[in-house]
Amino acid sequence: TYGIMVRDRLTLFSLHIGPSMVEKIASELAQAVSSSDTFSFSAAHTTLQGHLDWSFLCADPDGKIRTFLSDGLPARASGSTDIRTEMALVSIQGPHYGDRYGIANRTLCALANADIPVRIAGFTGACIFLVMDQDQTGPAEKSLAEVFEKP
């Protein structure tokens, strides 16, 4: 690997919203946050019922996003919001991860064997992204260092 990077003190927001609310919520959210509220990771998928399950991880130092989603969303839309603080993003970069068979399996098995829960995992050709509880980053780094070689 090229290294393991940890970004902590993040909040994980997970939304489950109807298709008619996606554009409205995205637009209102963009207006509710400032340019200093940076998104670290975002993932989404559509359910069989046509709803959007959207999760994003970001710094929310002043709580504006949390207030917008916990107070404003239920009043405007049928849907649900789950907010988890004290989260972290662990990212691993390496050459040609997408070309290596089993890289996802090795990553998730190493963490599962160490009893480290992963909330969200994402894999690209050269990066692995793992969203987990902040207090699990030390054990996760140790476990992953045993699986991946460092130059």
Side-chain angles (χ1 to χ4, degrees):
T1 66
Y2 295 137
I4 299 173
M5 185 185 84
V6 175
R7 183 156 186 233
D8 58 6
R9 295 187 302 262
L10 300 173
T11 301
L12 177 63
F13 298 93
S14 299
L15 308 178
H16 177 80
I17 54 179
S20 63
M21 293 304 297
V22 172
E23 185 176 346
K24 180 175 178 53
I25 296 300
S27 174
E28 289 181 14
L29 181 60
Q31 293 174 6
V33 300
S34 69
S35 59
S36 63
D37 299 320
T38 59
F39 289 82
S40 297
F41 184 82
S42 181
H45 74 276
T46 305
T47 66
L48 293 174
Q49 295 78 24
H51 288 82
L52 181 71
D53 284 342
W54 177 29
S55 296
F56 56 93
L57 188 67
C58 64
D60 187 28
D62 56 10
K64 285 189 297 185
I65 300 171
R66 186 176 317 134
T67 299
F68 169 77
L69 292 175
S70 61
D71 296 344
L73 181 63
R76 287 190 304 282
S78 60
S80 62
T81 305
D82 182 42
I83 300 172
R84 297 180 184 272
T85 59
E86 304 295 319
M87 301 301 292
L89 177 67
V90 176
S91 58
I92 308 167
Q93 294 184 341
H96 313 295
Y97 275 171
D99 297 336
R100 294 185 185 168
Y101 176 77
I103 199 80
N105 185 49
R106 288 175 53 200
T107 301
L108 296 175
C109 284
L111 296 172
N113 289 338
D115 293 322
I116 300 169
V118 175
R119 304 251 181 219
I120 301 172
F123 300 85
T124 67
C127 293
I128 299 169
F129 300 99
L130 305 162
V131 177
M132 63 183 60
D133 293 345
Q134 184 172 295
D135 64 352
Q136 296 295 313
T137 58
E141 284 184 276
K142 181 180 177 191
S143 179
L144 293 169
E146 294 172 4
V147 174
F148 298 106
E149 295 178 12
K150 291 183 182 178

PDB file of all heavy atoms in Angstrom, residues 35-63:
ATOM      1  N   SER A  35     -19.446  26.594   2.935  1.00  0.00           N
ATOM      2  CA  SER A  35     -18.372  26.004   2.139  1.00  0.00           C
ATOM      3  C   SER A  35     -17.322  25.329   3.019  1.00  0.00           C
ATOM      4  O   SER A  35     -16.528  24.538   2.543  1.00  0.00           O
ATOM      5  CB  SER A  35     -17.715  27.065   1.261  1.00  0.00           C
ATOM      6  OG  SER A  35     -17.193  28.092   2.076  1.00  0.00           O
ATOM      7  N   SER A  36     -17.311  25.627   4.321  1.00  0.00           N
ATOM      8  CA  SER A  36     -16.336  24.996   5.211  1.00  0.00           C
ATOM      9  C   SER A  36     -16.789  23.605   5.674  1.00  0.00           C
ATOM     10  O   SER A  36     -16.009  22.876   6.260  1.00  0.00           O
ATOM     11  CB  SER A  36     -16.077  25.889   6.425  1.00  0.00           C
ATOM     12  OG  SER A  36     -17.262  26.029   7.182  1.00  0.00           O
ATOM     13  N   ASP A  37     -18.053  23.258   5.459  1.00  0.00           N
ATOM     14  CA  ASP A  37     -18.559  21.936   5.828  1.00  0.00           C
ATOM     15  C   ASP A  37     -18.205  20.974   4.704  1.00  0.00           C
ATOM     16  O   ASP A  37     -18.891  20.903   3.693  1.00  0.00           O
ATOM     17  CB  ASP A  37     -20.080  21.965   6.032  1.00  0.00           C
ATOM     18  CG  ASP A  37     -20.494  22.910   7.151  1.00  0.00           C
ATOM     19  OD1 ASP A  37     -19.789  22.931   8.167  1.00  0.00           O
ATOM     20  OD2 ASP A  37     -21.496  23.601   6.988  1.00  0.00           O
ATOM     21  N   THR A  38     -17.121  20.244   4.880  1.00  0.00           N
ATOM     22  CA  THR A  38     -16.631  19.398   3.797  1.00  0.00           C
ATOM     23  C   THR A  38     -17.158  17.981   3.913  1.00  0.00           C
ATOM     24  O   THR A  38     -17.252  17.422   5.002  1.00  0.00           O
ATOM     25  CB  THR A  38     -15.096  19.366   3.787  1.00  0.00           C
ATOM     26  OG1 THR A  38     -14.637  18.872   5.057  1.00  0.00           O
ATOM     27  CG2 THR A  38     -14.524  20.750   3.554  1.00  0.00           C
ATOM     28  N   PHE A  39     -17.503  17.427   2.778  1.00  0.00           N
ATOM     29  CA  PHE A  39     -17.948  16.047   2.720  1.00  0.00           C
ATOM     30  C   PHE A  39     -16.734  15.155   2.501  1.00  0.00           C
ATOM     31  O   PHE A  39     -15.918  15.424   1.624  1.00  0.00           O
ATOM     32  CB  PHE A  39     -18.952  15.849   1.575  1.00  0.00           C
ATOM     33  CG  PHE A  39     -20.281  16.488   1.862  1.00  0.00           C
ATOM     34  CD1 PHE A  39     -20.485  17.836   1.648  1.00  0.00           C
ATOM     35  CD2 PHE A  39     -21.319  15.740   2.368  1.00  0.00           C
ATOM     36  CE1 PHE A  39     -21.697  18.436   1.924  1.00  0.00           C
ATOM     37  CE2 PHE A  39     -22.544  16.324   2.662  1.00  0.00           C
ATOM     38  CZ  PHE A  39     -22.729  17.675   2.432  1.00  0.00           C
ATOM     39  N   SER A  40     -16.628  14.104   3.284  1.00  0.00           N
ATOM     40  CA  SER A  40     -15.504  13.198   3.160  1.00  0.00           C
ATOM     41  C   SER A  40     -15.849  11.984   2.317  1.00  0.00           C
ATOM     42  O   SER A  40     -14.985  11.420   1.658  1.00  0.00           O
ATOM     43  CB  SER A  40     -15.058  12.715   4.542  1.00  0.00           C
ATOM     44  OG  SER A  40     -14.601  13.799   5.298  1.00  0.00           O
ATOM     45  N   PHE A  41     -17.102  11.562   2.363  1.00  0.00           N
ATOM     46  CA  PHE A  41     -17.498  10.345   1.678  1.00  0.00           C
ATOM     47  C   PHE A  41     -19.007  10.362   1.512  1.00  0.00           C
ATOM     48  O   PHE A  41     -19.724  10.811   2.391  1.00  0.00           O
ATOM     49  CB  PHE A  41     -17.079   9.119   2.496  1.00  0.00           C
ATOM     50  CG  PHE A  41     -17.359   7.803   1.837  1.00  0.00           C
ATOM     51  CD1 PHE A  41     -16.492   7.289   0.892  1.00  0.00           C
ATOM     52  CD2 PHE A  41     -18.488   7.069   2.160  1.00  0.00           C
ATOM     53  CE1 PHE A  41     -16.741   6.071   0.277  1.00  0.00           C
ATOM     54  CE2 PHE A  41     -18.740   5.859   1.557  1.00  0.00           C
ATOM     55  CZ  PHE A  41     -17.864   5.361   0.612  1.00  0.00           C
ATOM     56  N   SER A  42     -19.481   9.872   0.385  1.00  0.00           N
ATOM     57  CA  SER A  42     -20.913   9.785   0.153  1.00  0.00           C
ATOM     58  C   SER A  42     -21.201   8.517  -0.639  1.00  0.00           C
ATOM     59  O   SER A  42     -20.430   8.149  -1.526  1.00  0.00           O
ATOM     60  CB  SER A  42     -21.391  11.009  -0.627  1.00  0.00           C
ATOM     61  OG  SER A  42     -22.784  10.941  -0.829  1.00  0.00           O
ATOM     62  N   ALA A  43     -22.293   7.860  -0.301  1.00  0.00           N
ATOM     63  CA  ALA A  43     -22.712   6.655  -1.019  1.00  0.00           C
ATOM     64  C   ALA A  43     -24.235   6.621  -1.029  1.00  0.00           C
ATOM     65  O   ALA A  43     -24.881   7.092  -0.099  1.00  0.00           O
ATOM     66  CB  ALA A  43     -22.167   5.406  -0.338  1.00  0.00           C
ATOM     67  N   ALA A  44     -24.797   6.061  -2.093  1.00  0.00           N
ATOM     68  CA  ALA A  44     -26.260   5.994  -2.195  1.00  0.00           C
ATOM     69  C   ALA A  44     -26.659   4.795  -3.033  1.00  0.00           C
ATOM     70  O   ALA A  44     -25.890   4.323  -3.875  1.00  0.00           O
ATOM     71  CB  ALA A  44     -26.804   7.269  -2.825  1.00  0.00           C
ATOM     72  N   HIS A  45     -27.850   4.316  -2.776  1.00  0.00           N
ATOM     73  CA  HIS A  45     -28.445   3.306  -3.651  1.00  0.00           C
ATOM     74  C   HIS A  45     -29.965   3.444  -3.580  1.00  0.00           C
ATOM     75  O   HIS A  45     -30.524   3.974  -2.618  1.00  0.00           O
ATOM     76  CB  HIS A  45     -27.983   1.891  -3.284  1.00  0.00           C
ATOM     77  CG  HIS A  45     -28.609   1.353  -2.033  1.00  0.00           C
ATOM     78  ND1 HIS A  45     -28.121   1.620  -0.784  1.00  0.00           N
ATOM     79  CD2 HIS A  45     -29.697   0.577  -1.852  1.00  0.00           C
ATOM     80  CE1 HIS A  45     -28.866   1.011   0.120  1.00  0.00           C
ATOM     81  NE2 HIS A  45     -29.833   0.385  -0.491  1.00  0.00           N
ATOM     82  N   THR A  46     -30.611   2.993  -4.630  1.00  0.00           N
ATOM     83  CA  THR A  46     -32.066   3.037  -4.714  1.00  0.00           C
ATOM     84  C   THR A  46     -32.622   1.692  -4.272  1.00  0.00           C
ATOM     85  O   THR A  46     -32.149   0.642  -4.699  1.00  0.00           O
ATOM     86  CB  THR A  46     -32.512   3.345  -6.158  1.00  0.00           C
ATOM     87  OG1 THR A  46     -31.885   4.558  -6.572  1.00  0.00           O
ATOM     88  CG2 THR A  46     -34.010   3.492  -6.246  1.00  0.00           C
ATOM     89  N   THR A  47     -33.642   1.736  -3.428  1.00  0.00           N
ATOM     90  CA  THR A  47     -34.268   0.501  -2.962  1.00  0.00           C
ATOM     91  C   THR A  47     -35.235  -0.022  -4.020  1.00  0.00           C
ATOM     92  O   THR A  47     -35.576   0.680  -4.981  1.00  0.00           O
ATOM     93  CB  THR A  47     -35.049   0.756  -1.656  1.00  0.00           C
ATOM     94  OG1 THR A  47     -36.151   1.623  -1.939  1.00  0.00           O
ATOM     95  CG2 THR A  47     -34.158   1.363  -0.584  1.00  0.00           C
ATOM     96  N   LEU A  48     -35.713  -1.223  -3.839  1.00  0.00           N
ATOM     97  CA  LEU A  48     -36.685  -1.800  -4.766  1.00  0.00           C
ATOM     98  C   LEU A  48     -37.982  -0.991  -4.800  1.00  0.00           C
ATOM     99  O   LEU A  48     -38.687  -0.987  -5.800  1.00  0.00           O
ATOM    100  CB  LEU A  48     -36.992  -3.245  -4.389  1.00  0.00           C
ATOM    101  CG  LEU A  48     -35.839  -4.234  -4.556  1.00  0.00           C
ATOM    102  CD1 LEU A  48     -36.225  -5.609  -4.016  1.00  0.00           C
ATOM    103  CD2 LEU A  48     -35.433  -4.330  -6.013  1.00  0.00           C
ATOM    104  N   GLN A  49     -38.276  -0.290  -3.714  1.00  0.00           N
ATOM    105  CA  GLN A  49     -39.487   0.527  -3.640  1.00  0.00           C
ATOM    106  C   GLN A  49     -39.276   1.913  -4.255  1.00  0.00           C
ATOM    107  O   GLN A  49     -40.189   2.730  -4.270  1.00  0.00           O
ATOM    108  CB  GLN A  49     -39.938   0.688  -2.182  1.00  0.00           C
ATOM    109  CG  GLN A  49     -40.358  -0.603  -1.518  1.00  0.00           C
ATOM    110  CD  GLN A  49     -39.158  -1.449  -1.073  1.00  0.00           C
ATOM    111  OE1 GLN A  49     -38.067  -0.949  -0.847  1.00  0.00           O
ATOM    112  NE2 GLN A  49     -39.364  -2.749  -0.983  1.00  0.00           N
ATOM    113  N   GLY A  50     -38.084   2.198  -4.756  1.00  0.00           N
ATOM    114  CA  GLY A  50     -37.804   3.479  -5.392  1.00  0.00           C
ATOM    115  C   GLY A  50     -37.336   4.569  -4.447  1.00  0.00           C
ATOM    116  O   GLY A  50     -37.178   5.715  -4.854  1.00  0.00           O
ATOM    117  N   HIS A  51     -37.121   4.238  -3.185  1.00  0.00           N
ATOM    118  CA  HIS A  51     -36.596   5.215  -2.238  1.00  0.00           C
ATOM    119  C   HIS A  51     -35.081   5.297  -2.385  1.00  0.00           C
ATOM    120  O   HIS A  51     -34.436   4.381  -2.890  1.00  0.00           O
ATOM    121  CB  HIS A  51     -36.958   4.830  -0.804  1.00  0.00           C
ATOM    122  CG  HIS A  51     -38.402   5.033  -0.491  1.00  0.00           C
ATOM    123  ND1 HIS A  51     -39.369   4.114  -0.832  1.00  0.00           N
ATOM    124  CD2 HIS A  51     -39.037   6.061   0.104  1.00  0.00           C
ATOM    125  CE1 HIS A  51     -40.544   4.561  -0.446  1.00  0.00           C
ATOM    126  NE2 HIS A  51     -40.375   5.744   0.119  1.00  0.00           N
ATOM    127  N   LEU A  52     -34.527   6.381  -1.900  1.00  0.00           N
ATOM    128  CA  LEU A  52     -33.083   6.569  -1.930  1.00  0.00           C
ATOM    129  C   LEU A  52     -32.530   6.389  -0.529  1.00  0.00           C
ATOM    130  O   LEU A  52     -32.996   7.037   0.414  1.00  0.00           O
ATOM    131  CB  LEU A  52     -32.733   7.970  -2.443  1.00  0.00           C
ATOM    132  CG  LEU A  52     -31.241   8.281  -2.533  1.00  0.00           C
ATOM    133  CD1 LEU A  52     -30.606   7.497  -3.675  1.00  0.00           C
ATOM    134  CD2 LEU A  52     -31.015   9.769  -2.716  1.00  0.00           C
ATOM    135  N   ASP A  53     -31.567   5.503  -0.387  1.00  0.00           N
ATOM    136  CA  ASP A  53     -30.794   5.372   0.844  1.00  0.00           C
ATOM    137  C   ASP A  53     -29.473   6.084   0.581  1.00  0.00           C
ATOM    138  O   ASP A  53     -28.663   5.625  -0.224  1.00  0.00           O
ATOM    139  CB  ASP A  53     -30.551   3.911   1.208  1.00  0.00           C
ATOM    140  CG  ASP A  53     -31.786   3.252   1.795  1.00  0.00           C
ATOM    141  OD1 ASP A  53     -32.700   3.978   2.229  1.00  0.00           O
ATOM    142  OD2 ASP A  53     -31.834   2.016   1.823  1.00  0.00           O
ATOM    143  N   TRP A  54     -29.290   7.232   1.222  1.00  0.00           N
ATOM    144  CA  TRP A  54     -28.143   8.087   0.966  1.00  0.00           C
ATOM    145  C   TRP A  54     -27.399   8.307   2.271  1.00  0.00           C
ATOM    146  O   TRP A  54     -27.983   8.754   3.256  1.00  0.00           O
ATOM    147  CB  TRP A  54     -28.625   9.410   0.389  1.00  0.00           C
ATOM    148  CG  TRP A  54     -27.584  10.449   0.133  1.00  0.00           C
ATOM    149  CD1 TRP A  54     -26.268  10.255  -0.167  1.00  0.00           C
ATOM    150  CD2 TRP A  54     -27.775  11.860   0.145  1.00  0.00           C
ATOM    151  NE1 TRP A  54     -25.639  11.456  -0.352  1.00  0.00           N
ATOM    152  CE2 TRP A  54     -26.543  12.460  -0.166  1.00  0.00           C
ATOM    153  CE3 TRP A  54     -28.877  12.680   0.376  1.00  0.00           C
ATOM    154  CZ2 TRP A  54     -26.367  13.831  -0.242  1.00  0.00           C
ATOM    155  CZ3 TRP A  54     -28.706  14.046   0.292  1.00  0.00           C
ATOM    156  CH2 TRP A  54     -27.466  14.614  -0.013  1.00  0.00           C
ATOM    157  N   SER A  55     -26.124   7.983   2.298  1.00  0.00           N
ATOM    158  CA  SER A  55     -25.286   8.214   3.475  1.00  0.00           C
ATOM    159  C   SER A  55     -24.145   9.130   3.089  1.00  0.00           C
ATOM    160  O   SER A  55     -23.566   8.990   2.014  1.00  0.00           O
ATOM    161  CB  SER A  55     -24.714   6.894   4.006  1.00  0.00           C
ATOM    162  OG  SER A  55     -25.745   6.054   4.458  1.00  0.00           O
ATOM    163  N   PHE A  56     -23.836  10.053   3.972  1.00  0.00           N
ATOM    164  CA  PHE A  56     -22.667  10.882   3.746  1.00  0.00           C
ATOM    165  C   PHE A  56     -21.972  11.169   5.068  1.00  0.00           C
ATOM    166  O   PHE A  56     -22.595  11.224   6.130  1.00  0.00           O
ATOM    167  CB  PHE A  56     -22.997  12.165   2.982  1.00  0.00           C
ATOM    168  CG  PHE A  56     -24.060  13.029   3.593  1.00  0.00           C
ATOM    169  CD1 PHE A  56     -23.722  14.065   4.449  1.00  0.00           C
ATOM    170  CD2 PHE A  56     -25.391  12.828   3.283  1.00  0.00           C
ATOM    171  CE1 PHE A  56     -24.697  14.873   5.001  1.00  0.00           C
ATOM    172  CE2 PHE A  56     -26.377  13.633   3.821  1.00  0.00           C
ATOM    173  CZ  PHE A  56     -26.032  14.659   4.681  1.00  0.00           C
ATOM    174  N   LEU A  57     -20.684  11.292   4.971  1.00  0.00           N
ATOM    175  CA  LEU A  57     -19.811  11.482   6.123  1.00  0.00           C
ATOM    176  C   LEU A  57     -19.170  12.850   5.991  1.00  0.00           C
ATOM    177  O   LEU A  57     -18.623  13.174   4.936  1.00  0.00           O
ATOM    178  CB  LEU A  57     -18.738  10.393   6.093  1.00  0.00           C
ATOM    179  CG  LEU A  57     -17.808  10.244   7.267  1.00  0.00           C
ATOM    180  CD1 LEU A  57     -18.589   9.764   8.495  1.00  0.00           C
ATOM    181  CD2 LEU A  57     -16.716   9.248   6.942  1.00  0.00           C
ATOM    182  N   CYS A  58     -19.265  13.663   7.033  1.00  0.00           N
ATOM    183  CA  CYS A  58     -18.668  14.996   6.937  1.00  0.00           C
ATOM    184  C   CYS A  58     -18.378  15.562   8.312  1.00  0.00           C
ATOM    185  O   CYS A  58     -18.874  15.083   9.322  1.00  0.00           O
ATOM    186  CB  CYS A  58     -19.568  15.937   6.157  1.00  0.00           C
ATOM    187  SG  CYS A  58     -21.147  16.259   6.913  1.00  0.00           S
ATOM    188  N   ALA A  59     -17.566  16.608   8.293  1.00  0.00           N
ATOM    189  CA  ALA A  59     -17.351  17.389   9.508  1.00  0.00           C
ATOM    190  C   ALA A  59     -18.596  18.257   9.682  1.00  0.00           C
ATOM    191  O   ALA A  59     -19.142  18.766   8.715  1.00  0.00           O
ATOM    192  CB  ALA A  59     -16.106  18.249   9.357  1.00  0.00           C
ATOM    193  N   ASP A  60     -19.038  18.391  10.894  1.00  0.00           N
ATOM    194  CA  ASP A  60     -20.211  19.215  11.191  1.00  0.00           C
ATOM    195  C   ASP A  60     -19.958  19.933  12.512  1.00  0.00           C
ATOM    196  O   ASP A  60     -20.666  19.734  13.491  1.00  0.00           O
ATOM    197  CB  ASP A  60     -21.461  18.330  11.264  1.00  0.00           C
ATOM    198  CG  ASP A  60     -22.756  19.118  11.391  1.00  0.00           C
ATOM    199  OD1 ASP A  60     -22.816  20.271  10.907  1.00  0.00           O
ATOM    200  OD2 ASP A  60     -23.714  18.574  11.972  1.00  0.00           O
ATOM    201  N   PRO A  61     -18.889  20.770  12.553  1.00  0.00           N
ATOM    202  CA  PRO A  61     -18.458  21.340  13.832  1.00  0.00           C
ATOM    203  C   PRO A  61     -19.492  22.210  14.528  1.00  0.00           C
ATOM    204  O   PRO A  61     -19.547  22.239  15.748  1.00  0.00           O
ATOM    205  CB  PRO A  61     -17.210  22.149  13.457  1.00  0.00           C
ATOM    206  CG  PRO A  61     -17.327  22.409  11.999  1.00  0.00           C
ATOM    207  CD  PRO A  61     -18.107  21.256  11.427  1.00  0.00           C
ATOM    208  N   ASP A  62     -20.317  22.890  13.784  1.00  0.00           N
ATOM    209  CA  ASP A  62     -21.309  23.751  14.420  1.00  0.00           C
ATOM    210  C   ASP A  62     -22.701  23.124  14.487  1.00  0.00           C
ATOM    211  O   ASP A  62     -23.637  23.735  14.970  1.00  0.00           O
ATOM    212  CB  ASP A  62     -21.376  25.113  13.726  1.00  0.00           C
ATOM    213  CG  ASP A  62     -21.659  24.997  12.238  1.00  0.00           C
ATOM    214  OD1 ASP A  62     -21.990  23.887  11.774  1.00  0.00           O
ATOM    215  OD2 ASP A  62     -21.553  26.020  11.541  1.00  0.00           O
ATOM    216  N   GLY A  63     -22.844  21.898  13.989  1.00  0.00           N
ATOM    217  CA  GLY A  63     -24.110  21.181  14.092  1.00  0.00           C
ATOM    218  C   GLY A  63     -25.196  21.609  13.127  1.00  0.00           C
ATOM    219  O   GLY A  63     -26.341  21.206  13.267  1.00  0.00           O
TER     220      GLY A  63
END
